């Protein structure tokens, strides 16, 4: 069964009696609009029918009328092959809406598939296609039934040609035909490149809401001016044809020398001498330009918002030489039809010599149709063979042709020269024209000319041979010419092969070492004589195979482009390719986003803090944006910066009553709105520091200051950070803690000392803050400073949206999925079942389905009219393991793709000439099917279709058998918790508990390191059992204080130049100990004394040079008397203890210098007293992390002696650039400073992404220097003032501000007030 028989939509079987009862042409309908479905062939004369051949006179084309039995009962050609055709001349251009076919009466001869061609002249045929792709039409299944096909869009033509593709295999080609339609009338004008029309429209009393200019045109020239519209203020719109594309330009001013601003470009290959429909619509805010079925929209330039057209020039620009034309000296050459301005028929006005219209030059009101016969080389076996001319004898000849193609490679012409044992090839290579002459025994002669010849434009090629030279020329003066002095002796016996070689041709006559040519050829001339290709078609001249003669079948597969999101489209003859390299998207059509949709999604892939691109709507229209993701242990914060996150000082000014600031965000408006909507929580800091500068409570009631926030332009807000919307209060007002209880803000007390109102804005509908207005700054002594922090959001409502299906018969249903040309579906699932349908949506014939077909296979299946297609991915692991697995399916016009987890994706290509639209009409079923069979049991999460997340949870709340949400994430994500971190379940997601790990961070991945000096000692004291029982919050390590250990696990990293050096010391109350050290030979030693009455056992590693200043990692594991030691990536070393193996009642774990060492021998005691100089990192003894406890947990059972400084010295490699913290070194500000005044940094970061927040700490007494030094050690950055005023009174305020430049890297703490 042929593939097109799969789709029979729009095909109706009609009986002959019904056709006989149909009224004749023009008799149907009495209303204003008659149905355009009259039979057109029924009364045509015999002269209206032609065919390629006929089996006999009784099988002629004149008998090819439906339900007629004259002659042999229909048309049959002499030979049944795909070169046959039947042609019908309707007598005039007619609107055609349907075609019906029937087999030959009383026979087994009928068509099962055919092509339709249309023409206005009987030449230059155009193939009719469905959906811009499928060219074949379904035919009959017997000789009697009439099968009608209704055209999706009516065709205007005079001639119809039907070409059989397939027929009954037990019969031959047999056909009876009917065509349906109605009369078509139009007004036509012909322009000869020197003629034009000028229409003066005058001033209209009122503007209309929409202006429309529509027309049809046809031309053989690829460039020319169609329309030039001029209005007030001498602004103009110009519609030009340039290289076969339609371009719309805007020009400003009659005296402008500019060539204009290109507004939009539409269409391609419009110089094909076929009618093309154009519509230009001007609305208040945008312009629509439509060419055929392709519409492009562009915003109306501001200058044209109140612009009326006063004059239209058609076919040329009539601007009196004051305005530079878009196309110099290129007026339109061709025909226009039905040129309308709104409802005004401009061509009809010209016909009537209306005073508004001026005719310039020779404008005629009929369409001159130049005949140009083209031939299409579309097949791998296409070729054209022509004989030489009788006049060829002396080696002097000229061969010329025009071609157009998308291919870079292809043979144009080849012939043999047996006289000189040579072969000539004229071919394309890398889109350049090349001539190659191979002569036996000599090096090849090669010439080249032109470039970029695969642009789809017509290019003229001439090959000229003279006695003294041989040349090839491309596009005459516009191309390039190459010369050589070798003549080529062509004769009348020579055979010229164009496009390729015959399949069974003798290798001596035609050889093609290059690709075959795919494209169109016209105006083929030999010595100036045009080759009659119609004679070739009739087999009266030369020979050919697999050619389409009298048509150019080139298709622009990039217009309109199927490449999405800015992907660049390139093409060959048979396919197109999308370059997605700079788009941020992937796939055959750049449809699917490369990036995750939130910081939450990045975190659950194991990514740590840093800058990332996020695409909030996946494959939707919103562009990816760069944000900072701050991955904390519990939350993934998304941080979006704006142009001023610094503390900004506002000085008093008598001249200015207000200060305003506008905040421009790094993300675009639609990106911001999507982020806020998608996030579970958003916040933004809003701080105001004041001295004699009131905030909200003005005497007249209106607030002194306000801010604007929310979507689009936002709304005025009169509450402050930490308060509720509409409260007209600050945070202190809600807490009843303001400085003056009579006011709701600290600043409203109007004190002559510094105060502040600060807090977080958390109402998502009011975010982000877009602008800020500060008032009450004009009074003497008024001072203020404000800060608007970055927008911070966390939580992804889409990522965790899930539903649990607990019955096979249960499902969720949603509206029909619309993914006609591109469909991408992604989700996560977990199940214990081995099969089930995830998703299904049906149409009349089409469908789409994704299912788990077995415990290790997912199947993506669909049908768009070409028959069912399945894409399968089989995994090497079971998918029913109750862990989350990801599925991503995509279907587009080029291919279908399916990926499961990180397994290799499976793709299947779409047919090159098949249906492309997915047409669905039923509900979308999730977790089951309409038949309630093969339902899915388990969880589905984060289901997205074309970037839109389906709200499974809301639908599940009202659906029996389905529960919202799906707990249990650690089974899938626990692997992300590193270094003994434990996965902790959350309602939506998980977190890593690093309490038992020596590391910290979102995934327990950040090492805890410190630089040790010789005087530093860290002692971790284990508590006794009594303390454990009395304190439920005691440290887990206390369990070791009364236990007897028969083994331990020790891990740490170090970096030092000291040798010998003690790394770790563990002792017990019974004078037993364990010591880890580097000996004097730079080797690692492990010393055990597990019984006070036994000698020390020394275990020495063979790994050398450990005191080399590099980072080394040590892992030690003891099981009774067996000890395993591994250093870095070296082989594991095994040791055995020969004495006691129990380590009882551990007292303490010591790093660095050992203060008391009574149990040590003299050598070890001396080493212990020296301390350790270097870096220790990630120290862990069983479940105890002494270094982490010393640095990060105040109140832990650890004692630190000496300056212990946390650092990143334990990092084995530098941090990634995008995750490293950025700090700015800022000089102190000179000059005297008022006590308590918040200092503002005068230097601002240029980066909108990392912004810097400038903060100031003022110390008022010399004794505060000690406090400041400690603050510097802990914060890394602090401002100090060089001049400090006298101390304030006890009640005065001073405000320290963090000077950290990149506030994204750590979660912001609640702002505190410090009193000194």
């Amino acid at each position: 069964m042929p593939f097109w028989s799969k789709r029979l939509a729009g095909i109706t079987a009609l009986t002959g009696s019904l056709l006989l009862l149909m009224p004749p042409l023009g008799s149907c309908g009495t209303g204003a609009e008659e149905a355009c479905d009259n039979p057109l062939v029924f009364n045509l004369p015999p002269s209206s029918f032609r065919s390629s051949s006929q089996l006999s006179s009784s099988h002629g084309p004149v008998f090819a009328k439906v339900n007629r039995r004259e002659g042999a009962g229909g048309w049959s050609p002499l030979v049944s092959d795909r070169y046959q055709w039947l042609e019908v001349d309707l007598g005039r251009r007619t609107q055609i809406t349907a075609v019906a076919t029937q087999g030959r009466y009383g026979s087994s001869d009928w068509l099962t598939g055919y092509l339709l061609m249309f023409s206005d002249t009987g030449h230059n045929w155009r193939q009719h296609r469905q959906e811009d792709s499928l060219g074949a039409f379904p035919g009959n299944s017997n000789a009697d039934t009439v099968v009608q096909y209704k055209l999706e869009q009516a065709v205007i033509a005079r001639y119809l040609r039907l070409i059989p593709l397939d027929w009954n295999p037990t019969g031959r080609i047999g056909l009876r035909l009917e065509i349906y339609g109605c009369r078509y009338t139009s007004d036509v004008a012909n322009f000869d490149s020197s003629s034009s029309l000028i229409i003066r429209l005058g001033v209209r009393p009122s503007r209309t809401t929409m202006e429309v200019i529509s027309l049809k045109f046809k031309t053989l020239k690829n460039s020319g001016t169609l329309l030039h519209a001029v209005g007030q203020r001498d602004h103009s719109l110009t519609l030009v044809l340039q290289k076969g594309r339609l371009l719309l330009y805007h020009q400003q001013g009659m005296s402008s020398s500019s060539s204009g601003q290109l507004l939009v470009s539409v269409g391609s290959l419009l110089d094909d001498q076929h009618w093309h429909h154009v519509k230009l619509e001007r609305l208040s805010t945008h312009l629509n330009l439509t060419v055929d079925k392709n519409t492009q929209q562009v915003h109306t330039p501001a200058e044209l918002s109140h612009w009326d057209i006063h004059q239209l020039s058609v076919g040329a620009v009539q601007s009196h030489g004051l305005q530079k034309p878009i196309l110099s000296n290129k007026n339109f050459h061709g025909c226009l039809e039905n040129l309308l301005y709104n409802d005004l028929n401009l061509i009809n006005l010209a016909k009537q010599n209306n005073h508004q219209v001026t005719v310039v030059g020779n404008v005629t009101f009929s369409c001159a149709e130049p005949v140009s016969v083209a031939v299409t080389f579309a097949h791998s076996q296409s070729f054209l063979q022509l004989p030489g001319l009788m006049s060829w004898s002396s080696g002097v000849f000229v061969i010329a042709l025009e071609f157009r193609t998308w291919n870079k490679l292809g043979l144009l012409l080849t012939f043999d020269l047996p006289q000189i044992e040579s072969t000539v090839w004229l071919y394309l290579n890398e889109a350049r024209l090349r001539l190659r002459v191979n002569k036996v025994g000599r090096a090849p002669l090669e010439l080249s000319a032109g470039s970029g010849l695969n642009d789809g434009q017509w290019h003229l090629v001439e090959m000229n041979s003279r006695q003294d030279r041989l040349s090839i020329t491309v596009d005459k003066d516009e191309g390039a010419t190459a010369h050589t002095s070798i003549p080529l002796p062509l004769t009348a016996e020579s055979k010229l092969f164009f496009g390729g070689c015959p399949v069974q041709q003798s290798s001596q006559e035609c050889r093609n070492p290059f690709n075959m040519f795919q494209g169109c050829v016209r105006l083929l001339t030999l010595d100036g004589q045009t080759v009659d290709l119609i004679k070739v078609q009739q087999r009266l001249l030369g020979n050919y195979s697999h050619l389409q003669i009298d048509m150019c079948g080139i298709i622009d597969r990039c217009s309109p482009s199927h490449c999405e999101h800015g992907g660049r489209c390139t093409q060959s003859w048979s396919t197109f390719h999308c370059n997605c390299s700079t788009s941020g998207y992937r796939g055959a059509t750049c449809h699917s986003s490369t990036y995750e949709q939130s910081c939450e999604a990045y975190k659950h892939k194991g990514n740590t803090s840093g800058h990332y691109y996020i695409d909030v709507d996946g494959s939707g229209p919103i562009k990816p944006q760069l944000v900072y993701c701050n991955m904390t242990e519990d939350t993934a914060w998304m941080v979006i910066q704006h142009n001023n996150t610094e503390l900004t000082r506002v000085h008093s000014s008598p001249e200015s009553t207000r200060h305003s600031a506008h905040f421009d965000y790094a993300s675009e408006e639609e990106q911001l709105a999507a982020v806020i909507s998608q996030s579970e929580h958003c916040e933004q800091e809003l701080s105001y520091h004041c001295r004699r500068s009131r905030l909200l409570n003005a005497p007249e009631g209106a607030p002194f200051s306000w801010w604007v926030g929310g979507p689009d332009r936002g709304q005025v807000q009169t509450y402050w950070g930490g308060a509720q919307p509409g409260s007209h209060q600050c945070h202190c007002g809600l807490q009843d803690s303001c400085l003056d209880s009579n006011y709701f803000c600290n600043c409203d007390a109007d004190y002559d000392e510094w105060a502040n109102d600060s807090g977080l804005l958390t109402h998502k509908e009011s975010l982000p803050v877009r602008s800020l207005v500060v008032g009450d700054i004009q009074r003497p002594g008024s001072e203020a400073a404000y800060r608007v922090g970055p927008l911070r959001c966390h939580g992804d409502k889409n990522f965790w949206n899930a539903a649990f299906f607990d019955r096979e018969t249960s499902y969720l249903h949603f509206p029909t999925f619309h993914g006609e040309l591109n469909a991408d579906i992604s989700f996560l699932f977990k199940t214990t079942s081995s099969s089930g349908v995830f998703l299904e949506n049906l149409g009349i014939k089409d469908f789409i389905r994704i299912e788990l077909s077995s415990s290790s296979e997912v199947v993506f299946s669909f049908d768009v009219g070409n028959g069912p297609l399945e894409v399968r991915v089989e995994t090497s692991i079971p998918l029913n393991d109750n862990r989350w697995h990801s599925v991503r399916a995509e279907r587009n016009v080029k291919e279908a793709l399916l990926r499961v987890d990180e397994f290799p994706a499976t793709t299947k290509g779409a047919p090159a000439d098949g249906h492309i639209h997915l047409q669905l009409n039923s509900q979308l079923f999730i977790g089951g099917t309409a038949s309630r069979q093969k339902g899915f049991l388990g969880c589905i999460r984060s289901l997205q279709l074309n970037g839109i997340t389906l709200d499974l949870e809301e639908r599940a709340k009202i659906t029996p058998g389905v529960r919202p949400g799906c707990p249990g994430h650690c089974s899938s994500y626990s692997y992300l918790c590193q270094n003994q971190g434990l996965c902790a379940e959350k309602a939506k997601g998980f977190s890593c508990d690093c309490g038992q790990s020596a590391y910290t961070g979102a995934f327990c991945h950040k090492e805890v390191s410190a630089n040790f000096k010789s005087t530093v000692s860290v002692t971790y004291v284990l508590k006794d059992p009594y303390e454990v029982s009395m304190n439920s919050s005691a440290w887990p390590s206390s369990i070791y204080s009364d236990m007897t250990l028969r083994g331990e696990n020790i891990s740490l990293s170090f970096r030092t130049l000291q040798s010998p050096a003690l790394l770790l010391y563990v002792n017990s109350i019974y004078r037993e100990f364990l010591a880890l050290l580097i000996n004097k030979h730079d080797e690692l030693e492990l010393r055990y004394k597990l019984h006070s009455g036994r000698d020390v056992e020394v275990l020495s590693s063979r790994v050398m040079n450990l005191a080399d200043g590099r980072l080394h990692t040590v892992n030690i594991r003891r099981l009774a008397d067996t000890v395993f030691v591994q250093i870095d990536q070296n082989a594991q070393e095994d040791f055995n203890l020969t004495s006691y193996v129990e380590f009882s009642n551990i007292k303490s774990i010591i790093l660095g210098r050992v203060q008391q060492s009574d149990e040590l021998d003299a050598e070890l005691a001396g080493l212990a007293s020296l301390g350790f100089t270097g870096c220790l990192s990630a120290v862990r003894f069983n479940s105890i992390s002494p270094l982490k406890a010393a640095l990060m947990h105040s109140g832990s059972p650890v004692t630190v002696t000496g300056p212990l400084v946390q650092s990143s010295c334990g990092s084995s490699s530098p941090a990634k650039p995008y995750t490293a913290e950025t700090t700015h070194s800022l000089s102190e500000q000179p000059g005297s400073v008022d006590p308590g005044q918040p200092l503002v940094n005068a230097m601002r970061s240029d980066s909108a992404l990392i912004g810097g927040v400038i903060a100031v700490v003022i110390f008022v007494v010399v004794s505060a220097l000690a406090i400041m030094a400690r603050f510097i050690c802990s914060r890394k950055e602090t401002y100090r003032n060089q001049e400090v005023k006298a101390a304030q009174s006890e009640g005065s305020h001073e405000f320290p501000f963090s000077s950290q430049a990149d506030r994204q890297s750590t979660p912001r703490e609640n702002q505190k007030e410090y009193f000194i």
Side-chain angles (χ1 to χ4, degrees), residues 1184-1233:
I1184 304 172
S1185 304
L1187 183 59
K1188 178 180 177 183
L1191 291 171
M1192 307 187 70
H1193 299 296
S1194 60
S1196 61
V1198 63
T1199 302
V1200 179
T1201 304
L1204 182 67
V1205 180
Q1206 185 174 355
S1207 75
S1208 59
C1209 61
S1211 176
S1212 59
S1213 60
K1216 296 180 181 179
Y1218 60 83
T1219 60
E1221 288 188 78
T1222 304
T1223 58
H1224 294 170
S1225 177
L1226 304 176
S1227 62
E1228 297 175 349
Q1229 296 191 6
S1232 61
V1233 179

Side-chain angles (χ1 to χ4, degrees), residues 697-716:
N697 189 22
E700 64 275 13
F704 285 109
S705 302
W706 64 85
W707 55 278
V708 176
D712 300 324
R713 296 183 179 180
Q715 293 183 342
V716 173

Side-chain angles (χ1 to χ4, degrees), residues 401-576:
L401 58 88
E402 290 187 8
F403 74 89
R404 71 190 316 172
T405 184
W406 301 117
N407 291 359
K408 294 182 177 181
L409 306 172
L411 177 69
L412 289 175
L413 169 66
T414 182
F415 53 85
D416 279 341
L417 299 172
Q419 305 93 319
I420 58 174
E421 298 182 314
S422 298
T423 302
V424 178
W425 292 283
L426 185 66
Y427 62 99
L428 294 175
N429 185 24
E430 293 302 317
R432 291 177 57 85
L433 181 67
R434 299 183 184 273
L435 176 68
R436 181 173 180 177
V437 181
N438 270 16
K439 184 174 177 61
V440 177
R442 292 189 181 182
L445 168 67
E446 294 188 350
L447 301 177
S448 65
S451 63
L453 301 180
N454 65 326
D455 57 359
Q457 302 298 310
W458 286 108
H459 295 284
L460 173 62
V461 173
E462 290 186 356
M463 180 177 176
N464 196 324
S465 177
R466 295 287 183 264
Q467 293 182 352
D468 59 345
R469 71 170 187 169
L470 171 66
S471 68
I472 54 174
T473 305
V474 178
D475 294 335
K476 293 185 177 179
D477 296 336
E478 298 180 5
T481 302
H483 301 277
T484 183
S485 59
I486 300 178
L488 302 179
L490 267 179
T491 66
E493 288 75 29
S494 299
K495 292 183 178 181
L496 309 178
F497 292 91
F498 295 87
C501 293
V503 175
Q504 299 178 347
Q505 181 66 42
S506 169
S507 60
Q508 299 300 318
E509 288 189 334
C510 186
R511 289 167 294 169
N512 181 13
F514 313 104
N515 288 23
M516 80 289 187
F517 173 73
Q518 287 181 304
C520 300
V521 171
R522 71 180 185 187
L523 300 179
L524 176 56
T525 63
L526 305 179
D527 281 357
Q529 301 177 28
T530 301
V531 175
D532 190 343
L533 294 175
I534 299 300
K535 284 188 175 182
V536 174
Q537 183 183 35
Q538 297 170 346
R539 305 285 183 180
L540 300 177
L541 176 65
N543 190 19
Y544 71 93
S545 178
H546 294 86
L547 295 184
Q548 296 174 339
I549 298 179
D550 208 2
M551 66 172 293
C552 178
I554 190 171
I555 299 173
D556 191 339
R557 301 179 189 273
C558 289
S559 179
S561 174
H562 290 293
C563 302
E564 300 183 66
H565 301 109
R568 189 170 61 87
C569 182
T570 57
Q571 61 185 313
S572 63
W573 180 263
S574 56
T575 189
F576 69 93

Side-chain angles (χ1 to χ4, degrees), residues 796-960:
D796 184 346
K797 293 189 293 186
N798 296 335
F799 190 71
W800 295 111
N801 193 298
F804 176 68
F805 300 81
D806 58 9
R807 295 204 300 261
E808 280 194 13
T809 56
S810 60
Y811 59 83
L812 298 177
H813 59 85
F814 291 87
T816 305
F817 173 46
H818 296 288
E820 285 77 7
L821 295 177
N822 291 283
D824 77 277
I825 303 169
S826 63
F827 59 91
L828 295 100
F829 76 92
K830 67 174 183 176
T831 184
T832 57
S833 179
S834 60
S835 65
V837 175
F838 298 120
L839 172 150
E840 181 183 83
N841 205 163
L842 305 178
I844 297 176
K845 293 289 185 179
D846 298 359
F847 73 89
I848 189 168
R849 182 185 302 113
I850 303 177
E851 63 182 307
L852 182 68
S853 62
S854 72
S855 61
S856 60
E857 185 179 59
V858 176
V859 179
F860 172 39
S861 56
F862 62 90
D863 187 356
V864 295
N866 304 314
L869 180 69
E870 290 188 345
V871 187
R872 297 173 177 266
V873 169
E874 189 168 356
T875 63
S876 58
I877 62 172
L879 300 175
N880 60 340
D881 56 359
N882 204 31
R883 296 184 177 185
W884 287 114
H885 298 279
S886 65
V887 175
R888 185 173 72 86
E890 180 180 348
R891 178 262 157 189
N892 53 59
V893 298
K894 284 203 70 176
E895 66 181 22
L897 174 146
L898 177 65
R899 181 184 295 276
V900 178
D901 293 338
E902 297 303 318
F903 292 98
T906 301
T907 59
K908 283 193 176 182
D913 193 19
H915 294 282
I916 61 175
H917 286 85
L918 177 65
Q919 299 173 354
L920 307 174
N921 57 17
S922 74
Q923 289 183 321
L924 169 66
F925 290 86
I926 305 299
T929 64
S931 61
R932 297 198 175 191
Q933 297 178 353
K934 300 174 66 177
F936 173 74
L937 290 174
C939 293
I940 296 178
R941 173 164 70 87
S942 189
L943 175 59
Q944 296 186 337
L945 286 77
N946 280 352
I948 299 175
T949 300
L950 299 188
D951 196 342
L952 303 179
E953 293 187 354
E954 283 300 315
R955 192 60 61 94
K957 291 176 182 178
I958 58 174
T959 304

